[in-house]
Amino acid sequence: MKPDEPDHPAGPEGPSADALPSSPAPLCGVPLRERPRETFERMGARHVPDAVLLAILMRSGVRGCNVIELAREILARYGSLSALARASVRELSRIRGVGRVKAQVLHAALELSRRMAEEEREERPRMASPASVAALLRDDVLRLENEVFWVLLLDARHRLLSPPNLVTRGLLDSSLVHPREVFREAVRSSAAAVIVAHNHPSGDPEPSAGDLAVTRKLIAAGRIMDIRLLDHVICVPRDAGTGREYLSLRAAGLLNFEEGSEGCG
């Protein structure tokens, strides 16, 4: 099928909605930089409107309705991508300007998205306790010779949204670990909560005055931003000889974390 030709397949129930003789409305009236592929190149996939992504998949519109207008009409009809994903190929193919081929393309793309989300749900571990945090960071903690500060971004069920974010290296200090750096990715990722962690290469998990000062500052910032700081876990190498692999500031009762949250541990 050529890019500018409409789909006119006929299914067993008869011709699809756009099987009547017609030619797609051209994009010649749309400024070049506002056309779907040019917009995609200019803005990047993460920032283009849903209608642009839909238009790229469909490639062409129908008489009196270019592909961008058609994409907007489809989104308006269903109200959300979730509702669109629930539509069957047969239902989509009956929309004027879509047809069976475009319906299959849309359905396939949305199904791939659903499967990817399912894979991510299965792969993302839940940070249910300080022990789970220590286990996640164990290999890094074992090989590190200097202090490293991590932020774990979590969803509402305390599952990891992404691999641990490294914020800073070196001795933990309130001037180095700023709430802005800690919560920046949390905001971008729409995280519901965070856990922070750092290592003590010395093998002693007891917190320093600096550790406590940094944590107090982060607790206060999290309350303001409505992103809960669930815990601060200090990790040490398993072979340090102390008999402890981590210390949870929440579990130890050393600080007053946000009241009412489930916490980590």
Side-chain angles (χ1 to χ4, degrees), residues 102-122:
K102 288 176 185 170
Q104 289 174 344
V105 170
L106 293 179
H107 202 270
L110 291 165
E111 175 62 19
L112 282 173
S113 177
R114 186 196 67 78
R115 294 183 185 186
M116 183 178 69
E118 186 66 28
E119 285 181 358
E120 290 179 349
R121 282 194 294 271
E122 293 173 356

Side-chain angles (χ1 to χ4, degrees), residues 3-265:
D4 292 327
E5 291 181 349
D7 309 324
H8 297 322
E13 298 79 24
S16 56
D18 62 345
L20 298 175
S22 63
S23 58
L27 283 169
C28 56
V30 179
L32 182 62
R33 72 189 309 269
E34 295 180 13
R35 297 179 186 181
R37 288 182 175 80
E38 286 73 16
T39 301
F40 185 92
E41 290 288 339
R42 176 167 49 86
M43 298 180 64
R46 291 180 62 88
H47 303 291
V48 296
D50 294 341
V52 170
L53 297 176
L54 209 59
I56 290 173
L57 289 171
M58 293 192 297
R59 304 175 66 185
S60 63
V62 69
R63 182 187 295 274
C65 182
N66 67 43
V67 69
I68 300 174
E69 294 167 338
L70 177 59
R72 289 171 179 159
E73 286 184 11
I74 292 171
L75 290 171
R77 174 191 291 244
Y78 287 96
S80 69
L81 291 175
S82 297
L84 177 59
R86 290 192 292 270
S88 66
V89 170
R90 182 176 179 180
E91 178 183 340
L92 291 171
S93 67
R94 290 176 173 173
I95 299 173
R96 181 177 179 272
V98 178
R100 184 167 294 276
V101 174
K102 288 176 185 170
Q104 289 174 344
V105 170
L106 293 179
H107 202 270
L110 291 165
E111 175 62 19
L112 282 173
S113 177
R114 186 196 67 78
R115 294 183 185 186
M116 183 178 69
E118 186 66 28
E119 285 181 358
E120 290 179 349
R121 282 194 294 271
E122 293 173 356
E123 293 172 357
R124 294 196 321 243
R126 185 171 183 267
M127 297 293 101
S129 67
S132 59
V133 175
L136 178 70
L137 300 173
R138 181 175 294 143
D139 291 343
D140 289 327
V141 169
L142 188 61
R143 62 179 175 79
L144 288 169
E145 297 181 355
N146 57 345
E147 288 195 15
V148 171
F149 190 89
W150 295 277
V151 180
L152 280 58
L153 308 179
L154 310 177
D155 64 13
R157 295 175 60 186
H158 300 174
R159 295 176 304 186
L160 275 179
L161 293 173
S162 62
N165 286 300
L166 192 154
V167 176
T168 186
R169 292 178 181 271
L171 290 176
L172 193 60
D173 184 272
S174 59
S175 64
L176 297 177
V177 182
H178 193 280
R180 178 179 58 250
E181 308 302 324
V182 172
F183 288 100
R184 177 183 289 130
E185 286 301 321
V187 172
R188 288 178 180 171
S189 303
S190 299
V194 299
I195 294 172
V196 297
H198 80 283
N199 64 312
H200 279 182
S202 66
D204 182 4
E206 289 299 320
S208 66
D211 296 341
L212 297 175
V214 166
T215 310
R216 288 191 189 96
K217 183 184 294 186
L218 296 178
I219 291 172
R223 287 172 177 165
I224 293 171
M225 301 182 71
D226 197 26
I227 300 176
R228 295 179 297 165
L229 176 63
L230 299 182
D231 204 350
H232 183 168
V233 180
I234 300 173
C235 304
V236 298
R238 298 182 73 180
D239 58 0
T242 62
R244 292 188 293 174
E245 190 179 1
Y246 62 86
L247 181 143
S248 160
L249 268 61
R250 174 186 284 275
L254 296 173
L255 291 174
N256 180 25
F257 284 77
E258 186 176 359
E259 294 180 3
S261 64
E262 295 176 17
C264 173

